Amino acid sequence: MVRVTGRTERRVRLLPARVVVYFVLAMVLFGDCGYRGVWAALTARWPHTAVPDPSTAALRQARRRLGPEPLALLFDRLRGAVGTAATPGVFWRGLRLVAWDGTCLEVADSEANVTHFRRHASRTTRPATPRCG
């Protein structure tokens, strides 16, 4: 992806572009950790002598250098349904099965939505949320 989009590094760097792609993907998995926390989680099982220890600024700059192109290309290549009609378990009664794991949807805070959905259990000003199940 990096080579195809022309985002390879022009000089030897502490954080090569291909590693930054992994870092950006790990940011999705460890969204609450911050840059250094994501890097620590990504490299936790690697020997410390073989892993660079970049600063938050270095990670930010590496991400900026990479740009969105490699990840957009990765998404374009991987998006869409993987299973076919011949794949067992993909369809049920003529409908494609889809799972959203850990997804939380928010809706506008209007009377119609409050009537149709419920508010959060805790007292909050956050919008109403759809009922599960």
Side-chain angles (χ1 to χ4, degrees), residues 3-123:
R3 187 174 295 130
V4 171
T5 58
R7 299 310 246 165
T8 55
E9 54 278 350
R10 292 184 182 96
R11 60 186 177 141
V12 176
R13 294 194 175 269
L14 182 68
L15 298 169
R18 69 184 183 283
V19 173
V20 179
V21 170
Y22 288 113
F23 171 72
V24 173
L25 293 174
M27 288 174 57
V28 176
L29 298 173
F30 306 102
D32 295 335
C33 295
Y35 279 17
R36 298 273 302 179
V38 171
W39 183 258
L42 182 65
T43 61
R45 300 288 295 202
W46 296 353
H48 290 290
T49 56
V51 178
D53 187 25
S55 66
T56 300
L59 290 166
R60 183 183 63 245
Q61 290 166 2
R63 185 177 174 204
R64 187 173 294 142
R65 275 191 310 271
L66 180 69
E69 294 85 3
L71 295 163
L73 181 60
L74 179 64
F75 175 79
D76 284 342
R77 287 190 179 177
L78 297 178
R79 72 179 168 174
V82 177
T84 66
T87 307
V90 172
F91 287 88
W92 178 73
R93 296 187 181 189
L95 301 173
R96 180 180 292 276
L97 298 177
V98 178
W100 281 316
D101 202 14
T103 301
C104 186
L105 303 174
E106 293 185 355
V107 296
D109 192 19
S110 68
E111 289 303 319
N113 284 337
V114 172
T115 302
H116 189 269
F117 303 107
R118 59 177 161 65
R119 287 198 177 273
H120 291 274
S122 62
R123 297 178 199 267

